[in-house]
Amino acid sequence: MSSQTTYRELNGVECGKAVRARISAAAAQVHAKRGHAPHLVAVLVGEDPASQTYVASKVKACGEVGFRSTLLKEPADTTEAALLALVDKLNNDPSVDGFIVQLPLPGHINEERVTLAIAPGKDVDGFHPQNLGRMMLGLPGYLPATPNGIVELLKHYEVATEGKHCVVVGRSNIVGTPMGILMSRNTYPGNCTVTIAHSRTKDLPSITRQADILVVAIGKPNFITADRVKQGAVVVDVGIHRLADASRKSGFRLCGDVDFDGVAPKCSWITPVPGGVGPMTVTSLLMNTLKAAQG
Ligand code: L34
């Protein structure tokens, strides 16, 4: 018997389109009811090319669903005090429903201090401890964009999760750790038995091979190879890397934390990079901004 399967794609562009159509309809209602559109502000410090791309796609997505958006570009040498003053201004600006400060920030700025300064009610990234704590307790709040985007993706394609072993590789505050919490909740998608693996995990391949659902957010290009994946697994690739490629006009190509070509034939479902988790992160941000505008 061949171990090849035909895999299906968890397509973030397609899923994002469906979710965004619903957001668009709800945005029109908010607009009609209160006389102005939901308004997202994105703060971008410095000129990191990847961050510029991500923020640009957030601004574009806002336009497509009928939101107002404002992009505030600050120079790379902005001081922490100046950024905190801007956060304070946005916290107190009633015309702003929600805002984000795109990460990473330049080394001289303390990301934690900035995140803590954002008013929880406007924290549409869901990074503030109050929102993370509310998620942990199952209370209403803003869910972190990437984990929530993945949950939406699994829901859209009706991927079964109950009783499955979900292995999350990576324990960051904004992806790995909240992902584990969401997948263990008593709801759909959820009800998984969750393992969080990380850089100190002993014999990681033996753990990832046990995964029915494997979520990879470790930040290493093509880290997960076919020998680390169980036949029939659902694989979600959160990584996004730019590898130099002279044959491309841009000079680079994108790849994830998963060796897609090697791994895909073993999967029941897999996310592509690009076109998988990235667009769902953006969609999730729109969901939170709508929620903020609905009050
Ligand atoms: N504050 N910082 C804050 N909030 C976030 O939610 C983010 N993130 C992560 C980095 N820093 C952040 C994003 O916006 C990652 N991220 C993000 C957003 C969008 C995409 C990827 C990462 C995306 O649209 N990716 C496309 C390809 C884009 C390209 O051409 O480079 C994709 O199809 O995967």
Side-chain angles (χ1 to χ4, degrees), residues 161-194:
T161 62
E162 185 172 324
K164 305 289 185 192
H165 185 191
C166 176
V167 176
V168 179
V169 185
R171 56 179 157 190
S172 73
N173 293 335
I174 64 176
V175 183
T177 298
M179 191 68 214
I181 292 170
L182 292 179
M183 293 304 279
S184 63
R185 291 189 305 184
N186 182 8
T187 183
Y188 175 77
N191 282 310
C192 285
T193 304
V194 171

PDB file of all heavy atoms in Angstrom, residues 161-194:
ATOM      1  N   THR A 161     -11.589  18.020  15.256  1.00  0.00           N
ATOM      2  CA  THR A 161     -10.557  18.288  16.276  1.00  0.00           C
ATOM      3  C   THR A 161     -10.784  17.522  17.579  1.00  0.00           C
ATOM      4  O   THR A 161      -9.831  17.267  18.313  1.00  0.00           O
ATOM      5  CB  THR A 161     -10.480  19.807  16.598  1.00  0.00           C
ATOM      6  OG1 THR A 161     -11.727  20.252  17.128  1.00  0.00           O
ATOM      7  CG2 THR A 161     -10.142  20.619  15.351  1.00  0.00           C
ATOM      8  N   GLU A 162     -12.028  17.163  17.862  1.00  0.00           N
ATOM      9  CA  GLU A 162     -12.348  16.549  19.157  1.00  0.00           C
ATOM     10  C   GLU A 162     -11.562  15.262  19.403  1.00  0.00           C
ATOM     11  O   GLU A 162     -11.556  14.353  18.562  1.00  0.00           O
ATOM     12  CB  GLU A 162     -13.854  16.256  19.238  1.00  0.00           C
ATOM     13  CG  GLU A 162     -14.253  15.728  20.607  1.00  0.00           C
ATOM     14  CD  GLU A 162     -15.770  15.627  20.766  1.00  0.00           C
ATOM     15  OE1 GLU A 162     -16.492  16.491  20.234  1.00  0.00           O
ATOM     16  OE2 GLU A 162     -16.215  14.667  21.413  1.00  0.00           O
ATOM     17  N   GLY A 163     -10.908  15.212  20.557  1.00  0.00           N
ATOM     18  CA  GLY A 163     -10.166  14.009  20.945  1.00  0.00           C
ATOM     19  C   GLY A 163      -8.832  13.837  20.231  1.00  0.00           C
ATOM     20  O   GLY A 163      -8.104  12.878  20.489  1.00  0.00           O
ATOM     21  N   LYS A 164      -8.517  14.769  19.344  1.00  0.00           N
ATOM     22  CA  LYS A 164      -7.260  14.655  18.584  1.00  0.00           C
ATOM     23  C   LYS A 164      -6.080  15.132  19.434  1.00  0.00           C
ATOM     24  O   LYS A 164      -6.239  15.968  20.326  1.00  0.00           O
ATOM     25  CB  LYS A 164      -7.307  15.508  17.312  1.00  0.00           C
ATOM     26  CG  LYS A 164      -8.484  15.222  16.399  1.00  0.00           C
ATOM     27  CD  LYS A 164      -8.357  13.891  15.699  1.00  0.00           C
ATOM     28  CE  LYS A 164      -9.490  13.703  14.703  1.00  0.00           C
ATOM     29  NZ  LYS A 164      -9.556  12.326  14.210  1.00  0.00           N
ATOM     30  N   HIS A 165      -4.918  14.619  19.102  1.00  0.00           N
ATOM     31  CA  HIS A 165      -3.690  15.090  19.753  1.00  0.00           C
ATOM     32  C   HIS A 165      -3.133  16.246  18.924  1.00  0.00           C
ATOM     33  O   HIS A 165      -2.709  16.057  17.772  1.00  0.00           O
ATOM     34  CB  HIS A 165      -2.675  13.947  19.847  1.00  0.00           C
ATOM     35  CG  HIS A 165      -1.444  14.321  20.612  1.00  0.00           C
ATOM     36  ND1 HIS A 165      -0.315  13.556  20.651  1.00  0.00           N
ATOM     37  CD2 HIS A 165      -1.168  15.403  21.380  1.00  0.00           C
ATOM     38  CE1 HIS A 165       0.606  14.143  21.399  1.00  0.00           C
ATOM     39  NE2 HIS A 165       0.106  15.274  21.845  1.00  0.00           N
ATOM     40  N   CYS A 166      -3.183  17.442  19.495  1.00  0.00           N
ATOM     41  CA  CYS A 166      -2.641  18.621  18.824  1.00  0.00           C
ATOM     42  C   CYS A 166      -1.273  18.938  19.408  1.00  0.00           C
ATOM     43  O   CYS A 166      -1.151  19.191  20.607  1.00  0.00           O
ATOM     44  CB  CYS A 166      -3.591  19.808  19.007  1.00  0.00           C
ATOM     45  SG  CYS A 166      -2.961  21.347  18.309  1.00  0.00           S
ATOM     46  N   VAL A 167      -0.267  18.903  18.583  1.00  0.00           N
ATOM     47  CA  VAL A 167       1.083  19.274  19.021  1.00  0.00           C
ATOM     48  C   VAL A 167       1.399  20.657  18.444  1.00  0.00           C
ATOM     49  O   VAL A 167       1.321  20.863  17.232  1.00  0.00           O
ATOM     50  CB  VAL A 167       2.138  18.238  18.568  1.00  0.00           C
ATOM     51  CG1 VAL A 167       3.550  18.702  18.943  1.00  0.00           C
ATOM     52  CG2 VAL A 167       1.844  16.868  19.181  1.00  0.00           C
ATOM     53  N   VAL A 168       1.708  21.577  19.345  1.00  0.00           N
ATOM     54  CA  VAL A 168       2.092  22.931  18.944  1.00  0.00           C
ATOM     55  C   VAL A 168       3.597  23.036  19.133  1.00  0.00           C
ATOM     56  O   VAL A 168       4.105  22.771  20.229  1.00  0.00           O
ATOM     57  CB  VAL A 168       1.372  23.993  19.812  1.00  0.00           C
ATOM     58  CG1 VAL A 168       1.787  25.401  19.402  1.00  0.00           C
ATOM     59  CG2 VAL A 168      -0.153  23.827  19.721  1.00  0.00           C
ATOM     60  N   VAL A 169       4.303  23.383  18.090  1.00  0.00           N
ATOM     61  CA  VAL A 169       5.755  23.541  18.195  1.00  0.00           C
ATOM     62  C   VAL A 169       6.057  25.033  18.285  1.00  0.00           C
ATOM     63  O   VAL A 169       5.859  25.769  17.329  1.00  0.00           O
ATOM     64  CB  VAL A 169       6.490  22.897  16.996  1.00  0.00           C
ATOM     65  CG1 VAL A 169       7.995  22.977  17.193  1.00  0.00           C
ATOM     66  CG2 VAL A 169       6.055  21.446  16.814  1.00  0.00           C
ATOM     67  N   GLY A 170       6.491  25.453  19.449  1.00  0.00           N
ATOM     68  CA  GLY A 170       6.743  26.881  19.710  1.00  0.00           C
ATOM     69  C   GLY A 170       5.870  27.356  20.860  1.00  0.00           C
ATOM     70  O   GLY A 170       4.719  26.956  20.958  1.00  0.00           O
ATOM     71  N   ARG A 171       6.439  28.183  21.733  1.00  0.00           N
ATOM     72  CA  ARG A 171       5.705  28.587  22.947  1.00  0.00           C
ATOM     73  C   ARG A 171       5.648  30.099  23.112  1.00  0.00           C
ATOM     74  O   ARG A 171       5.628  30.618  24.230  1.00  0.00           O
ATOM     75  CB  ARG A 171       6.364  27.960  24.174  1.00  0.00           C
ATOM     76  CG  ARG A 171       7.833  28.328  24.279  1.00  0.00           C
ATOM     77  CD  ARG A 171       8.480  27.733  25.508  1.00  0.00           C
ATOM     78  NE  ARG A 171       9.918  27.626  25.301  1.00  0.00           N
ATOM     79  CZ  ARG A 171      10.750  26.976  26.088  1.00  0.00           C
ATOM     80  NH1 ARG A 171      10.295  26.356  27.152  1.00  0.00           N
ATOM     81  NH2 ARG A 171      12.026  26.923  25.827  1.00  0.00           N
ATOM     82  N   SER A 172       5.632  30.832  21.998  1.00  0.00           N
ATOM     83  CA  SER A 172       5.608  32.294  22.111  1.00  0.00           C
ATOM     84  C   SER A 172       4.301  32.750  22.755  1.00  0.00           C
ATOM     85  O   SER A 172       3.289  32.035  22.743  1.00  0.00           O
ATOM     86  CB  SER A 172       5.744  32.944  20.732  1.00  0.00           C
ATOM     87  OG  SER A 172       4.541  32.790  20.003  1.00  0.00           O
ATOM     88  N   ASN A 173       4.353  33.955  23.322  1.00  0.00           N
ATOM     89  CA  ASN A 173       3.158  34.517  23.962  1.00  0.00           C
ATOM     90  C   ASN A 173       2.056  34.820  22.965  1.00  0.00           C
ATOM     91  O   ASN A 173       0.876  34.872  23.323  1.00  0.00           O
ATOM     92  CB  ASN A 173       3.509  35.828  24.674  1.00  0.00           C
ATOM     93  CG  ASN A 173       4.423  35.594  25.850  1.00  0.00           C
ATOM     94  OD1 ASN A 173       4.445  34.493  26.421  1.00  0.00           O
ATOM     95  ND2 ASN A 173       5.199  36.605  26.209  1.00  0.00           N
ATOM     96  N   ILE A 174       2.431  35.071  21.705  1.00  0.00           N
ATOM     97  CA  ILE A 174       1.395  35.494  20.758  1.00  0.00           C
ATOM     98  C   ILE A 174       0.915  34.393  19.818  1.00  0.00           C
ATOM     99  O   ILE A 174      -0.111  34.530  19.191  1.00  0.00           O
ATOM    100  CB  ILE A 174       1.805  36.765  19.967  1.00  0.00           C
ATOM    101  CG1 ILE A 174       3.016  36.519  19.098  1.00  0.00           C
ATOM    102  CG2 ILE A 174       2.048  37.929  20.909  1.00  0.00           C
ATOM    103  CD1 ILE A 174       3.374  37.737  18.239  1.00  0.00           C
ATOM    104  N   VAL A 175       1.655  33.287  19.736  1.00  0.00           N
ATOM    105  CA  VAL A 175       1.186  32.188  18.879  1.00  0.00           C
ATOM    106  C   VAL A 175       1.106  30.860  19.643  1.00  0.00           C
ATOM    107  O   VAL A 175       0.020  30.366  19.931  1.00  0.00           O
ATOM    108  CB  VAL A 175       2.039  32.023  17.601  1.00  0.00           C
ATOM    109  CG1 VAL A 175       1.452  30.905  16.732  1.00  0.00           C
ATOM    110  CG2 VAL A 175       2.076  33.313  16.780  1.00  0.00           C
ATOM    111  N   GLY A 176       2.244  30.271  19.983  1.00  0.00           N
ATOM    112  CA  GLY A 176       2.249  28.902  20.503  1.00  0.00           C
ATOM    113  C   GLY A 176       1.408  28.719  21.758  1.00  0.00           C
ATOM    114  O   GLY A 176       0.543  27.844  21.820  1.00  0.00           O
ATOM    115  N   THR A 177       1.655  29.549  22.758  1.00  0.00           N
ATOM    116  CA  THR A 177       0.951  29.368  24.034  1.00  0.00           C
ATOM    117  C   THR A 177      -0.562  29.588  23.892  1.00  0.00           C
ATOM    118  O   THR A 177      -1.341  28.711  24.299  1.00  0.00           O
ATOM    119  CB  THR A 177       1.596  30.255  25.122  1.00  0.00           C
ATOM    120  OG1 THR A 177       2.958  29.815  25.292  1.00  0.00           O
ATOM    121  CG2 THR A 177       0.871  30.142  26.455  1.00  0.00           C
ATOM    122  N   PRO A 178      -1.023  30.703  23.312  1.00  0.00           N
ATOM    123  CA  PRO A 178      -2.478  30.844  23.145  1.00  0.00           C
ATOM    124  C   PRO A 178      -3.089  29.777  22.232  1.00  0.00           C
ATOM    125  O   PRO A 178      -4.227  29.349  22.448  1.00  0.00           O
ATOM    126  CB  PRO A 178      -2.660  32.249  22.556  1.00  0.00           C
ATOM    127  CG  PRO A 178      -1.318  32.727  22.150  1.00  0.00           C
ATOM    128  CD  PRO A 178      -0.311  31.944  22.922  1.00  0.00           C
ATOM    129  N   MET A 179      -2.346  29.321  21.236  1.00  0.00           N
ATOM    130  CA  MET A 179      -2.854  28.266  20.343  1.00  0.00           C
ATOM    131  C   MET A 179      -3.191  27.012  21.144  1.00  0.00           C
ATOM    132  O   MET A 179      -4.219  26.366  20.938  1.00  0.00           O
ATOM    133  CB  MET A 179      -1.786  27.949  19.283  1.00  0.00           C
ATOM    134  CG  MET A 179      -2.273  27.081  18.149  1.00  0.00           C
ATOM    135  SD  MET A 179      -3.465  27.985  17.151  1.00  0.00           S
ATOM    136  CE  MET A 179      -4.550  26.683  16.660  1.00  0.00           C
ATOM    137  N   GLY A 180      -2.292  26.658  22.062  1.00  0.00           N
ATOM    138  CA  GLY A 180      -2.522  25.490  22.912  1.00  0.00           C
ATOM    139  C   GLY A 180      -3.784  25.657  23.739  1.00  0.00           C
ATOM    140  O   GLY A 180      -4.577  24.712  23.887  1.00  0.00           O
ATOM    141  N   ILE A 181      -3.984  26.847  24.271  1.00  0.00           N
ATOM    142  CA  ILE A 181      -5.183  27.099  25.093  1.00  0.00           C
ATOM    143  C   ILE A 181      -6.446  26.979  24.241  1.00  0.00           C
ATOM    144  O   ILE A 181      -7.409  26.313  24.630  1.00  0.00           O
ATOM    145  CB  ILE A 181      -5.093  28.488  25.769  1.00  0.00           C
ATOM    146  CG1 ILE A 181      -3.965  28.479  26.811  1.00  0.00           C
ATOM    147  CG2 ILE A 181      -6.428  28.875  26.416  1.00  0.00           C
ATOM    148  CD1 ILE A 181      -3.612  29.844  27.366  1.00  0.00           C
ATOM    149  N   LEU A 182      -6.443  27.594  23.066  1.00  0.00           N
ATOM    150  CA  LEU A 182      -7.644  27.542  22.216  1.00  0.00           C
ATOM    151  C   LEU A 182      -7.981  26.111  21.800  1.00  0.00           C
ATOM    152  O   LEU A 182      -9.141  25.709  21.786  1.00  0.00           O
ATOM    153  CB  LEU A 182      -7.467  28.420  20.961  1.00  0.00           C
ATOM    154  CG  LEU A 182      -7.404  29.930  21.194  1.00  0.00           C
ATOM    155  CD1 LEU A 182      -7.193  30.672  19.871  1.00  0.00           C
ATOM    156  CD2 LEU A 182      -8.675  30.441  21.879  1.00  0.00           C
ATOM    157  N   MET A 183      -6.974  25.315  21.478  1.00  0.00           N
ATOM    158  CA  MET A 183      -7.242  23.961  20.988  1.00  0.00           C
ATOM    159  C   MET A 183      -7.676  23.009  22.104  1.00  0.00           C
ATOM    160  O   MET A 183      -8.226  21.941  21.825  1.00  0.00           O
ATOM    161  CB  MET A 183      -6.012  23.395  20.269  1.00  0.00           C
ATOM    162  CG  MET A 183      -5.684  24.117  18.973  1.00  0.00           C
ATOM    163  SD  MET A 183      -7.052  24.156  17.794  1.00  0.00           S
ATOM    164  CE  MET A 183      -6.901  22.519  17.067  1.00  0.00           C
ATOM    165  N   SER A 184      -7.439  23.390  23.358  1.00  0.00           N
ATOM    166  CA  SER A 184      -7.876  22.509  24.448  1.00  0.00           C
ATOM    167  C   SER A 184      -9.237  22.915  25.007  1.00  0.00           C
ATOM    168  O   SER A 184      -9.808  22.200  25.831  1.00  0.00           O
ATOM    169  CB  SER A 184      -6.822  22.490  25.565  1.00  0.00           C
ATOM    170  OG  SER A 184      -6.693  23.774  26.127  1.00  0.00           O
ATOM    171  N   ARG A 185      -9.809  24.035  24.546  1.00  0.00           N
ATOM    172  CA  ARG A 185     -11.111  24.487  25.059  1.00  0.00           C
ATOM    173  C   ARG A 185     -12.219  23.475  24.751  1.00  0.00           C
ATOM    174  O   ARG A 185     -12.157  22.766  23.739  1.00  0.00           O
ATOM    175  CB  ARG A 185     -11.505  25.835  24.433  1.00  0.00           C
ATOM    176  CG  ARG A 185     -10.655  26.994  24.890  1.00  0.00           C
ATOM    177  CD  ARG A 185     -11.224  28.312  24.412  1.00  0.00           C
ATOM    178  NE  ARG A 185     -11.418  28.331  22.943  1.00  0.00           N
ATOM    179  CZ  ARG A 185     -11.834  29.387  22.259  1.00  0.00           C
ATOM    180  NH1 ARG A 185     -12.126  30.520  22.883  1.00  0.00           N
ATOM    181  NH2 ARG A 185     -11.968  29.321  20.955  1.00  0.00           N
ATOM    182  N   ASN A 186     -13.256  23.516  25.581  1.00  0.00           N
ATOM    183  CA  ASN A 186     -14.394  22.615  25.394  1.00  0.00           C
ATOM    184  C   ASN A 186     -15.386  23.206  24.396  1.00  0.00           C
ATOM    185  O   ASN A 186     -16.455  23.681  24.752  1.00  0.00           O
ATOM    186  CB  ASN A 186     -15.070  22.368  26.747  1.00  0.00           C
ATOM    187  CG  ASN A 186     -16.230  21.392  26.628  1.00  0.00           C
ATOM    188  OD1 ASN A 186     -16.436  20.786  25.576  1.00  0.00           O
ATOM    189  ND2 ASN A 186     -16.989  21.236  27.702  1.00  0.00           N
ATOM    190  N   THR A 187     -14.972  23.219  23.127  1.00  0.00           N
ATOM    191  CA  THR A 187     -15.807  23.772  22.059  1.00  0.00           C
ATOM    192  C   THR A 187     -15.264  23.252  20.741  1.00  0.00           C
ATOM    193  O   THR A 187     -14.306  22.486  20.715  1.00  0.00           O
ATOM    194  CB  THR A 187     -15.776  25.325  22.109  1.00  0.00           C
ATOM    195  OG1 THR A 187     -16.646  25.854  21.105  1.00  0.00           O
ATOM    196  CG2 THR A 187     -14.373  25.873  21.872  1.00  0.00           C
ATOM    197  N   TYR A 188     -15.880  23.649  19.657  1.00  0.00           N
ATOM    198  CA  TYR A 188     -15.341  23.332  18.342  1.00  0.00           C
ATOM    199  C   TYR A 188     -14.893  24.611  17.654  1.00  0.00           C
ATOM    200  O   TYR A 188     -15.671  25.564  17.656  1.00  0.00           O
ATOM    201  CB  TYR A 188     -16.364  22.628  17.435  1.00  0.00           C
ATOM    202  CG  TYR A 188     -15.798  22.420  16.047  1.00  0.00           C
ATOM    203  CD1 TYR A 188     -14.886  21.401  15.802  1.00  0.00           C
ATOM    204  CD2 TYR A 188     -16.100  23.309  15.012  1.00  0.00           C
ATOM    205  CE1 TYR A 188     -14.309  21.261  14.547  1.00  0.00           C
ATOM    206  CE2 TYR A 188     -15.525  23.166  13.760  1.00  0.00           C
ATOM    207  CZ  TYR A 188     -14.633  22.135  13.538  1.00  0.00           C
ATOM    208  OH  TYR A 188     -14.052  22.002  12.315  1.00  0.00           O
ATOM    209  N   PRO A 189     -13.764  24.685  17.039  1.00  0.00           N
ATOM    210  CA  PRO A 189     -12.659  23.734  17.105  1.00  0.00           C
ATOM    211  C   PRO A 189     -12.026  23.729  18.492  1.00  0.00           C
ATOM    212  O   PRO A 189     -11.941  24.778  19.118  1.00  0.00           O
ATOM    213  CB  PRO A 189     -11.659  24.275  16.077  1.00  0.00           C
ATOM    214  CG  PRO A 189     -12.424  25.238  15.222  1.00  0.00           C
ATOM    215  CD  PRO A 189     -13.483  25.800  16.107  1.00  0.00           C
ATOM    216  N   GLY A 190     -11.644  22.584  18.960  1.00  0.00           N
ATOM    217  CA  GLY A 190     -11.058  22.455  20.281  1.00  0.00           C
ATOM    218  C   GLY A 190     -11.175  21.020  20.734  1.00  0.00           C
ATOM    219  O   GLY A 190     -11.192  20.112  19.913  1.00  0.00           O
ATOM    220  N   ASN A 191     -11.290  20.854  22.050  1.00  0.00           N
ATOM    221  CA  ASN A 191     -11.368  19.523  22.645  1.00  0.00           C
ATOM    222  C   ASN A 191     -10.215  18.608  22.240  1.00  0.00           C
ATOM    223  O   ASN A 191     -10.377  17.392  22.110  1.00  0.00           O
ATOM    224  CB  ASN A 191     -12.723  18.867  22.355  1.00  0.00           C
ATOM    225  CG  ASN A 191     -13.808  19.420  23.278  1.00  0.00           C
ATOM    226  OD1 ASN A 191     -13.619  19.476  24.485  1.00  0.00           O
ATOM    227  ND2 ASN A 191     -14.929  19.854  22.709  1.00  0.00           N
ATOM    228  N   CYS A 192      -9.065  19.229  21.983  1.00  0.00           N
ATOM    229  CA  CYS A 192      -7.866  18.449  21.673  1.00  0.00           C
ATOM    230  C   CYS A 192      -7.104  18.137  22.956  1.00  0.00           C
ATOM    231  O   CYS A 192      -7.240  18.828  23.965  1.00  0.00           O
ATOM    232  CB  CYS A 192      -6.914  19.254  20.784  1.00  0.00           C
ATOM    233  SG  CYS A 192      -7.448  19.383  19.083  1.00  0.00           S
ATOM    234  N   THR A 193      -6.292  17.114  22.894  1.00  0.00           N
ATOM    235  CA  THR A 193      -5.260  16.896  23.899  1.00  0.00           C
ATOM    236  C   THR A 193      -4.036  17.614  23.358  1.00  0.00           C
ATOM    237  O   THR A 193      -3.605  17.338  22.237  1.00  0.00           O
ATOM    238  CB  THR A 193      -4.983  15.391  24.052  1.00  0.00           C
ATOM    239  OG1 THR A 193      -6.216  14.743  24.370  1.00  0.00           O
ATOM    240  CG2 THR A 193      -3.944  15.134  25.125  1.00  0.00           C
ATOM    241  N   VAL A 194      -3.530  18.571  24.130  1.00  0.00           N
ATOM    242  CA  VAL A 194      -2.507  19.471  23.583  1.00  0.00           C
ATOM    243  C   VAL A 194      -1.127  19.206  24.188  1.00  0.00           C
ATOM    244  O   VAL A 194      -0.994  19.024  25.398  1.00  0.00           O
ATOM    245  CB  VAL A 194      -2.908  20.947  23.835  1.00  0.00           C
ATOM    246  CG1 VAL A 194      -1.762  21.895  23.479  1.00  0.00           C
ATOM    247  CG2 VAL A 194      -4.162  21.308  23.031  1.00  0.00           C
TER     248      VAL A 194
END
